[in-house]
Amino acid sequence: MTTYKRAVAVFALLLGSVFALIALAAPSNAAYTPKITINSPVCTSGTVTGSGFQPNEAVTLTVSGTTVGSAKTDSTGNFTTTATFPSSITGNKVLTGTGAGGDTASTQVKVNTDCGIAGQSSSRANPSSSSSSGTQGLSATGVAVWTIGGLGVLLLAAGALFTFGGRRGRRA
């Protein structure tokens, strides 16, 4: 085997190993499935919980284009915060949580105009069915795992071909 072929084989094997290790160590390229719900709301505000967002991400809550709350997710992509509904928002609305990474989740909210008698709490926003939109699974990390892994396998195969192919040629 010539020095050139040996150098190419070693380089291909090393580069293939690096790409294979990167692919194995990288987080999955699946996307997050964010979800929000609103629980136990009172007259003008309600507790919103979210899950499936990216870790340590800022999430903005909006209804009809009006910001009604914000939160920062924990290390697992979950949050709990309070949404405050202005008196201009009434009726059946969609509460949307949008993460800084672009993932969104929505839930239906019924906002009532009757806030009850002073000193009493009555329900103004009630939870309904929740749904999420955006991507499925975990959030994209920017690492194309299958591409890098495939390239790593191809480079490993090329290195093995040069290594073992060169040995066969020398023996013949």
Side-chain angles (χ1 to χ4, degrees), residues 29 139-144:
N29 197 25
S139 181
T141 62
V143 178

PDB file of all heavy atoms in Angstrom, residues 29 139-144:
ATOM      1  N   ASN A  29     -32.834  14.968  16.763  1.00  0.00           N
ATOM      2  CA  ASN A  29     -33.291  16.067  15.924  1.00  0.00           C
ATOM      3  C   ASN A  29     -34.815  16.167  15.928  1.00  0.00           C
ATOM      4  O   ASN A  29     -35.395  16.959  15.208  1.00  0.00           O
ATOM      5  CB  ASN A  29     -32.760  15.890  14.497  1.00  0.00           C
ATOM      6  CG  ASN A  29     -32.835  17.158  13.707  1.00  0.00           C
ATOM      7  OD1 ASN A  29     -32.839  18.241  14.274  1.00  0.00           O
ATOM      8  ND2 ASN A  29     -32.894  17.041  12.400  1.00  0.00           N
ATOM      9  N   SER A 139     -37.410  19.655  20.168  1.00  0.00           N
ATOM     10  CA  SER A 139     -37.035  20.776  19.313  1.00  0.00           C
ATOM     11  C   SER A 139     -35.778  20.482  18.523  1.00  0.00           C
ATOM     12  O   SER A 139     -34.866  19.821  18.996  1.00  0.00           O
ATOM     13  CB  SER A 139     -36.816  22.012  20.168  1.00  0.00           C
ATOM     14  OG  SER A 139     -36.477  23.084  19.359  1.00  0.00           O
ATOM     15  N   ALA A 140     -35.742  21.027  17.315  1.00  0.00           N
ATOM     16  CA  ALA A 140     -34.564  20.866  16.478  1.00  0.00           C
ATOM     17  C   ALA A 140     -33.375  21.536  17.152  1.00  0.00           C
ATOM     18  O   ALA A 140     -33.474  22.644  17.638  1.00  0.00           O
ATOM     19  CB  ALA A 140     -34.801  21.468  15.103  1.00  0.00           C
ATOM     20  N   THR A 141     -32.260  20.848  17.175  1.00  0.00           N
ATOM     21  CA  THR A 141     -31.075  21.373  17.830  1.00  0.00           C
ATOM     22  C   THR A 141     -30.113  21.996  16.848  1.00  0.00           C
ATOM     23  O   THR A 141     -29.110  22.542  17.243  1.00  0.00           O
ATOM     24  CB  THR A 141     -30.328  20.249  18.579  1.00  0.00           C
ATOM     25  OG1 THR A 141     -29.919  19.280  17.612  1.00  0.00           O
ATOM     26  CG2 THR A 141     -31.199  19.622  19.628  1.00  0.00           C
ATOM     27  N   GLY A 142     -30.395  21.885  15.567  1.00  0.00           N
ATOM     28  CA  GLY A 142     -29.489  22.399  14.560  1.00  0.00           C
ATOM     29  C   GLY A 142     -28.448  21.384  14.145  1.00  0.00           C
ATOM     30  O   GLY A 142     -27.605  21.652  13.317  1.00  0.00           O
ATOM     31  N   VAL A 143     -28.486  20.191  14.711  1.00  0.00           N
ATOM     32  CA  VAL A 143     -27.548  19.142  14.364  1.00  0.00           C
ATOM     33  C   VAL A 143     -28.293  18.110  13.532  1.00  0.00           C
ATOM     34  O   VAL A 143     -29.260  17.518  13.974  1.00  0.00           O
ATOM     35  CB  VAL A 143     -26.962  18.475  15.634  1.00  0.00           C
ATOM     36  CG1 VAL A 143     -26.030  17.346  15.262  1.00  0.00           C
ATOM     37  CG2 VAL A 143     -26.255  19.498  16.488  1.00  0.00           C
ATOM     38  N   ALA A 144     -27.844  17.898  12.309  1.00  0.00           N
ATOM     39  CA  ALA A 144     -28.467  16.915  11.431  1.00  0.00           C
ATOM     40  C   ALA A 144     -27.861  15.549  11.741  1.00  0.00           C
ATOM     41  O   ALA A 144     -26.884  15.124  11.134  1.00  0.00           O
ATOM     42  CB  ALA A 144     -28.250  17.290   9.975  1.00  0.00           C
TER      43      ALA A 144
END
